[in-house]
Amino acid sequence: MKFDLELLEFVECNKDSQKIAISASDKDLTWNEFKNEVEKLKIEILKYNLPKGHPVVIYGHKEAKFIVSMTACMSLGLPYIPVDTIYPKERLNKIINILSSALVIYTIENKMEVNTNNINTSYHLDDSIIYIIFTSGSTGEPKGVQITKNSILDFKTWLETDFKFNNNSIFMNQAPFSFDLSVYEVVGFLLFGGTIILNSRELLENHLEYFERLKKYECNTWVSTPSFISKYLLSSEFVSSNIKTLTSFLFCGEVLPSATVKRIKNNFPDSKVLNTYGPTEATVATTLIEITSEIIDKYSKSLPVGYVKKNTIINLLDKDSENVGEIEIVGDNVSIGYFKNEELNAQKFEPKYEKRSFRTGDFGYFEDNMLFFANRKDELIKLHGFRIELGEIDKEFTNNKEVTDAITIPLKRGSEVVKLITFIVVNSSAVNIEDLKEEISKVLPYYMIPSDVIILDKFPYNTNHKIDKKELINIYKTL
Ligand code: AMP
């Protein structure tokens, strides 16, 4: 069984309806049970007579009901807005108000809240919108990115042809549903008929229990940001001889350091590591590449983010003398725009070649037909006139076996970068900062050597499990 987005219903594609569809934090559901729960919820929602296109907010964490609610909304032509409990109720209320949503589904409490006043007064959205994700603010003010059905179908085709997802794919889900990285697993299991294993924040703290869960459900496809996997890679239990089915690692959302890939290859020697790149505004990702050992050897400066997906064009705008330009994405995967933000939409989503397009604010360049991520526009570093790729500094630090993670942050006065600070996580108490600095000064020019190197037990992360750079600056200021 699988969910057919075009028909907006469940279709029997094989007889395996007793197979687990969802293993959530509260219960497991077979495909049959899942289908029944969705149908039941649809009947409940229909009682409220919401017009097609009316936005439904879903608030919760890793409960089966979260997926049941998303699927019911898709099926009814109601756009859903996933909000994880990591966000406080104030943010939830703000989103409800912005959208004038009449229906909120609380998946932990298993209840619905209806505000009938909003049914008539609200702004009715295009009923082809599948979801609206409010960005976390890692790239600025929270904005409601509207993703339509044709973008999801385009994404699904890509997952089928290039990622080879199918009904045997068993996904590890950790990313909150309010982070579009999770759309990989949701679309991946729902539209192909596989299985999704949801892992709550509490469970993730207990490494051994978490690994046991991945074993029990025979997880084969890992999806996360590169930062998220780092801490597990240090565990002697996070290896292929223990979690035998885990053979595919898929990343998106931030720079994938070659040191991380090397550690994965060390722990899981026969595994496939995929790097993908893209903003929420272009439906999860736009480029893909398998990072093989040959790729690591060949592109030692920074790993490629990959080949541009079919049906999509990437332009590099305002290229400099080194052919680095701002990444613009054109294609069906691009959002129809931010919710009620016409001014910004006019700046960022200017139609091109009769398609939707989006200026990402990221810098990149092409080499051997592959896209490489340079940095974000707002993070272009010039220090004393020298252009600096911060990732290069991080890479040199992590080349040292005792440094497990490194991130360099520019400290600014106004818009001017005044110094660089590198934060590192180490696996030995014998690490000496001066020795480390001397070591990297043998390979990097003097202007790339950070003024300060700070050892932390672990990095702070934001809600999407990307390194929280603002918090690092706060930590630095309190030292
Ligand atoms: P979000 O919309 O929260 O997923 O953030 C999208 C941003 O994350 C992009 O615009 C990039 O700045 C960054 N990003 C995504 N994927 C990658 C990647 N593979 N390498 C480097 N940066 C990435």
Side-chain angles (χ1 to χ4, degrees):
M1 203 183 287
K2 65 176 182 173
F3 184 81
D4 190 311
L5 190 59
E6 262 162 307
L7 299 173
L8 291 171
E9 62 186 32
F10 286 98
V11 290
E12 308 279 342
C13 58
N14 57 37
K15 297 211 164 55
D16 204 3
S17 47
Q18 292 311 318
K19 182 172 102 171
I20 303 268
I22 307 166
S23 173
S25 60
D26 50 347
K27 61 181 173 189
D28 288 358
L29 293 179
T30 64
W31 272 93
N32 244 348
E33 290 166 336
F34 173 42
K35 177 181 166 176
N36 291 340
E37 289 219 1
V38 171
E39 295 307 326
K40 251 174 47 199
L41 182 62
K42 277 166 65 179
I43 294 170
E44 271 185 75
I45 294 176
L46 282 171
K47 284 186 204 147
Y48 302 116
N49 286 323
L50 301 179
K52 278 218 162 166
H54 189 92
V56 175
V57 176
I58 309 171
Y59 188 65
H61 184 42
K62 294 295 171 196
E63 304 73 41
K65 185 75 180 264
F66 211 118
I67 304 245
V68 169
S69 306
M70 293 195 279
T71 314
C73 288
M74 277 189 228
S75 184
L76 293 169
L78 302 171
Y80 65 83
I81 297 84
V83 184
D84 190 274
T85 49
I86 201 158
Y87 293 113
K89 285 268 166 68
E90 293 82 71
R91 182 173 162 108
L92 171 71
N93 292 334
K94 199 168 160 193
I95 289 175
I96 298 169
N97 287 337
I98 293 173
L99 295 159
S100 305
S101 177
L103 182 65
V104 185
I105 304 176
Y106 293 88
T107 64
I108 296 180
E109 298 86 350
N110 198 13
K111 64 168 192 185
M112 294 205 249
E113 238 171 50
V114 184
N115 179 350
T116 40
N117 291 338
N118 279 346
I119 295 182
N120 300 322
T121 58
S122 90
Y123 169 102
H124 296 304
L125 301 164
D126 176 346
D127 68 10
S128 71
I129 294 173
I130 299 290
Y131 63 76
I132 304 177
I133 283 189
F134 279 78
T135 59
S136 73
S138 64
T139 54
E141 274 296 291
K143 306 176 277 277
V145 181
Q146 309 176 99
I147 297 294
T148 49
K149 188 162 124 185
N150 73 334
S151 296
I152 296 290
L153 289 172
D154 178 72
F155 181 60
K156 182 204 168 200
T157 308
W158 189 40
L159 295 184
E160 193 163 23
T161 53
D162 292 15
F163 295 67
K164 312 271 187 252
F165 288 172
N166 57 41
N167 62 354
N168 295 319
S169 301
I170 303 176
F171 295 94
M172 189 293 285
N173 163 267
Q174 149 280 322
F177 296 121
S178 45
F179 178 18
D180 89 323
L181 176 66
S182 65
V183 176
Y184 267 129
E185 305 94 277
V186 173
V187 167
F189 105 94
L190 192 62
L191 304 190
F192 296 108
T195 300
I196 188 168
I197 311 164
L198 316 188
N199 299 285
S200 67
R201 277 185 285 283
E202 300 78 60
L203 175 90
L204 295 170
E205 290 304 314
N206 185 335
H207 292 202
L208 295 186
E209 204 181 314
Y210 175 39
F211 301 155
E212 280 310 308
R213 184 166 163 75
L214 299 180
K215 272 159 70 174
K216 178 173 166 201
Y217 290 92
E218 301 183 340
C219 175
N220 52 28
T221 310
W222 174 285
V223 185
S224 79
T225 57
S227 299
F228 176 79
I229 202 170
S230 298
K231 59 177 180 242
Y232 300 106
L233 286 169
L234 300 175
S235 164
S236 59
E237 305 286 322
F238 194 60
V239 289
S240 58
S241 57
N242 186 32
I243 312 174
K244 294 195 179 64
T245 50
L246 192 50
T247 47
S248 181
F249 294 86
L250 168 54
F251 297 102
C252 194
E254 58 180 1
V255 172
L256 176 63
S258 47
T260 305
V261 185
K262 284 182 189 159
R263 282 182 200 125
I264 296 172
K265 296 269 181 200
N266 186 44
N267 292 18
F268 295 85
D270 297 322
S271 64
K272 203 158 104 175
V273 177
L274 303 175
N275 190 17
T276 63
Y277 155 86
T280 307
E281 288 86 340
T283 320
V284 190
T286 300
T287 66
L288 162 71
I289 173 96
E290 180 181 349
I291 307 293
T292 57
S293 307
E294 293 73 42
I295 295 268
I296 298 178
D297 292 343
K298 185 159 180 206
Y299 303 99
S300 57
K301 200 172 129 211
S302 67
L303 294 175
V305 294
Y307 299 102
V308 181
K309 69 186 271 295
K310 210 173 137 211
N311 259 339
T312 301
I313 295 169
I314 282 191
N315 295 319
L316 297 178
L317 308 175
D318 311 321
K319 278 195 276 192
D320 67 10
S321 57
E322 292 162 36
N323 279 327
V324 177
E326 185 182 348
I327 300 170
E328 179 189 60
I329 303 174
V330 189
D332 288 341
N333 60 334
V334 173
S335 158
I336 54 169
Y338 300 121
F339 179 75
K340 278 193 182 170
N341 204 335
E342 296 319 318
E343 200 182 318
L344 199 56
N345 288 346
Q347 286 168 28
K348 300 280 242 170
F349 294 92
E350 189 199 339
K352 280 244 169 109
Y353 334 120
E354 296 176 2
K355 292 266 182 199
R356 299 192 288 261
S357 95
F358 176 64
R359 283 185 82 128
T360 61
D362 293 327
F363 277 101
Y365 55 94
F366 278 101
E367 205 177 307
D368 301 333
N369 271 331
M370 289 180 290
L371 183 71
F372 286 72
F373 175 84
N375 44 27
R376 280 199 58 77
K377 193 173 183 175
D378 38 19
E379 283 177 8
L380 183 66
I381 301 309
K382 283 240 173 175
L383 182 60
H384 309 312
F386 294 107
R387 182 171 160 161
I388 297 177
E389 301 252 346
L390 297 174
E392 240 184 296
I393 306 174
D394 306 342
K395 199 182 117 261
E396 289 311 332
F397 274 100
T398 50
N399 274 347
N400 183 307
K401 284 199 189 65
E402 287 168 340
V403 179
T404 55
D405 261 318
I407 182 149
T408 303
I409 306 281
L411 206 68
K412 293 181 185 173
R413 193 178 302 122
S415 58
E416 189 201 356
V417 175
V418 284
K419 63 174 165 176
L420 302 176
I421 307 145
T422 302
F423 295 86
I424 57 174
V425 178
V426 296
N427 57 17
S428 154
S429 54
V431 170
N432 179 302
I433 288 176
E434 288 314 310
D435 293 348
L436 264 182
K437 275 173 123 177
E438 200 177 313
E439 197 181 301
I440 65 158
S441 63
K442 291 183 189 138
V443 280
L444 291 180
Y446 73 92
Y447 58 84
M448 288 179 80
I449 310 301
S451 318
D452 292 305
V453 178
I454 291 154
I455 300 179
L456 296 179
D457 289 340
K458 58 178 185 184
F459 289 155
Y461 293 106
N462 67 18
T463 49
N464 288 347
H465 222 280
K466 295 188 188 187
I467 295 173
D468 191 335
K469 295 178 185 168
K470 282 189 202 133
E471 183 56 24
L472 283 172
I473 293 177
N474 288 340
I475 293 174
Y476 179 75
K477 284 181 179 160
T478 59
L479 291 175

Short mmCIF file of all heavy atoms in Angstrom, two decimals, residues 138 179-180 252-255 275-281 305 362 373 376 464 466, ligand 1:
data_model
loop_
_atom_site.label_atom_id
_atom_site.label_comp_id
_atom_site.label_asym_id
_atom_site.label_seq_id
_atom_site.Cartn_x
_atom_site.Cartn_y
_atom_site.Cartn_z
N SER A 138 17.12 30.79 10.58
CA SER A 138 18.57 30.66 10.41
C SER A 138 19.00 31.52 9.23
O SER A 138 20.15 31.89 9.10
CB SER A 138 18.98 29.20 10.17
OG SER A 138 18.42 28.73 8.97
N PHE A 179 10.95 21.27 9.93
CA PHE A 179 12.19 21.47 9.15
C PHE A 179 12.01 20.65 7.88
O PHE A 179 11.73 19.46 7.94
CB PHE A 179 13.36 20.95 9.99
CG PHE A 179 14.72 21.04 9.33
CD1 PHE A 179 14.97 21.87 8.25
CD2 PHE A 179 15.78 20.29 9.84
CE1 PHE A 179 16.23 21.95 7.68
CE2 PHE A 179 17.04 20.36 9.28
CZ PHE A 179 17.27 21.18 8.19
N ASP A 180 12.21 21.29 6.71
CA ASP A 180 11.82 20.58 5.48
C ASP A 180 12.73 19.41 5.14
O ASP A 180 12.42 18.62 4.26
CB ASP A 180 11.65 21.56 4.31
CG ASP A 180 12.93 21.79 3.55
OD1 ASP A 180 14.00 21.84 4.20
OD2 ASP A 180 12.87 21.94 2.31
N CYS A 252 21.76 16.90 4.14
CA CYS A 252 21.35 18.17 3.53
C CYS A 252 21.36 19.22 4.64
O CYS A 252 21.39 18.88 5.82
CB CYS A 252 19.95 18.05 2.95
SG CYS A 252 19.52 19.41 1.85
N GLY A 253 21.38 20.47 4.25
CA GLY A 253 21.15 21.53 5.22
C GLY A 253 22.35 22.33 5.65
O GLY A 253 22.21 23.45 6.10
N GLU A 254 23.52 21.75 5.56
CA GLU A 254 24.74 22.51 5.89
C GLU A 254 25.93 21.81 5.26
O GLU A 254 25.79 20.72 4.69
CB GLU A 254 24.90 22.68 7.41
CG GLU A 254 24.94 21.39 8.15
CD GLU A 254 25.09 21.56 9.67
OE1 GLU A 254 25.15 22.68 10.18
OE2 GLU A 254 25.16 20.52 10.33
N VAL A 255 27.08 22.45 5.37
CA VAL A 255 28.29 21.91 4.73
C VAL A 255 28.59 20.51 5.27
O VAL A 255 28.56 20.27 6.48
CB VAL A 255 29.49 22.86 5.01
CG1 VAL A 255 30.79 22.24 4.53
CG2 VAL A 255 29.25 24.20 4.33
N ASN A 275 25.32 13.60 -0.59
CA ASN A 275 25.26 15.00 -0.17
C ASN A 275 24.24 15.70 -1.06
O ASN A 275 24.23 15.50 -2.27
CB ASN A 275 26.64 15.66 -0.33
CG ASN A 275 26.70 17.04 0.31
OD1 ASN A 275 25.84 17.38 1.14
ND2 ASN A 275 27.70 17.83 -0.04
N THR A 276 23.36 16.46 -0.45
CA THR A 276 22.38 17.22 -1.24
C THR A 276 22.34 18.66 -0.72
O THR A 276 22.72 18.92 0.42
CB THR A 276 20.97 16.60 -1.15
OG1 THR A 276 20.50 16.66 0.22
CG2 THR A 276 20.95 15.17 -1.63
N TYR A 277 21.91 19.55 -1.60
CA TYR A 277 21.88 20.97 -1.24
C TYR A 277 20.57 21.59 -1.69
O TYR A 277 20.08 21.26 -2.78
CB TYR A 277 23.04 21.70 -1.94
CG TYR A 277 22.76 23.17 -2.13
CD1 TYR A 277 23.04 24.08 -1.12
CD2 TYR A 277 22.16 23.64 -3.31
CE1 TYR A 277 22.73 25.43 -1.29
CE2 TYR A 277 21.85 24.98 -3.48
CZ TYR A 277 22.14 25.87 -2.46
OH TYR A 277 21.82 27.20 -2.62
N GLY A 278 20.08 22.49 -0.90
CA GLY A 278 18.94 23.30 -1.35
C GLY A 278 18.25 23.98 -0.20
O GLY A 278 18.33 23.54 0.94
N PRO A 279 17.55 25.08 -0.49
CA PRO A 279 16.77 25.76 0.55
C PRO A 279 15.33 25.23 0.59
O PRO A 279 14.85 24.64 -0.38
CB PRO A 279 16.78 27.21 0.08
CG PRO A 279 16.87 27.13 -1.41
CD PRO A 279 17.58 25.84 -1.75
N THR A 280 14.64 25.48 1.69
CA THR A 280 13.22 25.11 1.85
C THR A 280 12.41 25.65 0.68
O THR A 280 11.45 25.02 0.23
CB THR A 280 12.70 25.74 3.17
OG1 THR A 280 13.58 25.36 4.22
CG2 THR A 280 11.30 25.28 3.50
N GLU A 281 12.79 26.83 0.18
CA GLU A 281 12.04 27.49 -0.89
C GLU A 281 12.08 26.70 -2.20
O GLU A 281 11.38 27.03 -3.15
CB GLU A 281 12.62 28.91 -1.15
CG GLU A 281 12.32 29.91 -0.06
CD GLU A 281 13.33 29.89 1.10
OE1 GLU A 281 14.03 28.86 1.25
OE2 GLU A 281 13.40 30.88 1.84
N VAL A 305 28.38 19.78 -3.80
CA VAL A 305 27.01 19.49 -3.34
C VAL A 305 26.24 18.76 -4.44
O VAL A 305 25.15 18.25 -4.19
CB VAL A 305 26.25 20.74 -2.85
CG1 VAL A 305 26.89 21.29 -1.59
CG2 VAL A 305 26.14 21.81 -3.91
N ASP A 362 22.87 32.22 -1.47
CA ASP A 362 24.07 31.38 -1.31
C ASP A 362 25.01 31.64 -2.49
O ASP A 362 24.54 31.89 -3.60
CB ASP A 362 23.70 29.88 -1.37
CG ASP A 362 22.88 29.44 -0.19
OD1 ASP A 362 23.08 29.98 0.91
OD2 ASP A 362 22.04 28.53 -0.37
N PHE A 373 29.23 24.61 -3.03
CA PHE A 373 28.71 25.69 -2.18
C PHE A 373 29.90 26.49 -1.69
O PHE A 373 30.86 25.91 -1.15
CB PHE A 373 27.94 25.04 -1.01
CG PHE A 373 27.44 26.01 0.01
CD1 PHE A 373 26.24 26.68 -0.19
CD2 PHE A 373 28.15 26.23 1.17
CE1 PHE A 373 25.76 27.57 0.77
CE2 PHE A 373 27.68 27.12 2.13
CZ PHE A 373 26.48 27.79 1.92
N ARG A 376 27.32 31.65 2.31
CA ARG A 376 26.13 32.46 2.15
C ARG A 376 26.51 33.90 1.88
O ARG A 376 27.56 34.36 2.33
CB ARG A 376 25.25 32.39 3.41
CG ARG A 376 24.42 31.13 3.49
CD ARG A 376 23.27 31.30 4.45
NE ARG A 376 22.40 32.40 4.10
CZ ARG A 376 21.48 32.36 3.12
NH1 ARG A 376 21.33 31.29 2.40
NH2 ARG A 376 20.73 33.41 2.89
N ASN A 464 16.73 23.11 14.12
CA ASN A 464 16.85 22.22 12.96
C ASN A 464 18.14 21.40 13.00
O ASN A 464 18.54 20.81 12.01
CB ASN A 464 16.81 23.02 11.67
CG ASN A 464 15.42 23.53 11.40
OD1 ASN A 464 14.47 23.09 12.04
ND2 ASN A 464 15.29 24.43 10.47
N LYS A 466 21.13 22.51 13.13
CA LYS A 466 22.28 23.11 12.48
C LYS A 466 23.02 23.84 13.58
O LYS A 466 22.40 24.27 14.57
CB LYS A 466 21.83 24.11 11.41
CG LYS A 466 21.07 23.47 10.26
CD LYS A 466 20.85 24.51 9.17
CE LYS A 466 19.94 23.99 8.11
NZ LYS A 466 19.83 24.91 6.97
P1 AMP B 1 16.98 25.57 5.08
O1 AMP B 1 16.02 26.30 4.18
O2 AMP B 1 16.77 25.80 6.54
O3 AMP B 1 17.04 24.12 4.72
O4 AMP B 1 18.41 26.17 4.80
C1 AMP B 1 18.88 26.24 3.48
C2 AMP B 1 20.29 26.72 3.51
O5 AMP B 1 21.15 25.73 4.11
C3 AMP B 1 20.84 26.87 2.09
O6 AMP B 1 20.42 28.08 1.51
C4 AMP B 1 22.33 26.81 2.35
O7 AMP B 1 22.79 28.02 2.88
C5 AMP B 1 22.41 25.74 3.46
N1 AMP B 1 22.66 24.40 2.87
C6 AMP B 1 21.76 23.48 2.52
N2 AMP B 1 22.35 22.36 2.05
C7 AMP B 1 23.68 22.57 2.10
C8 AMP B 1 24.86 21.81 1.74
N3 AMP B 1 24.78 20.56 1.27
N4 AMP B 1 26.07 22.40 1.92
C9 AMP B 1 26.16 23.65 2.40
N5 AMP B 1 25.11 24.40 2.78
C10 AMP B 1 23.88 23.88 2.62
#
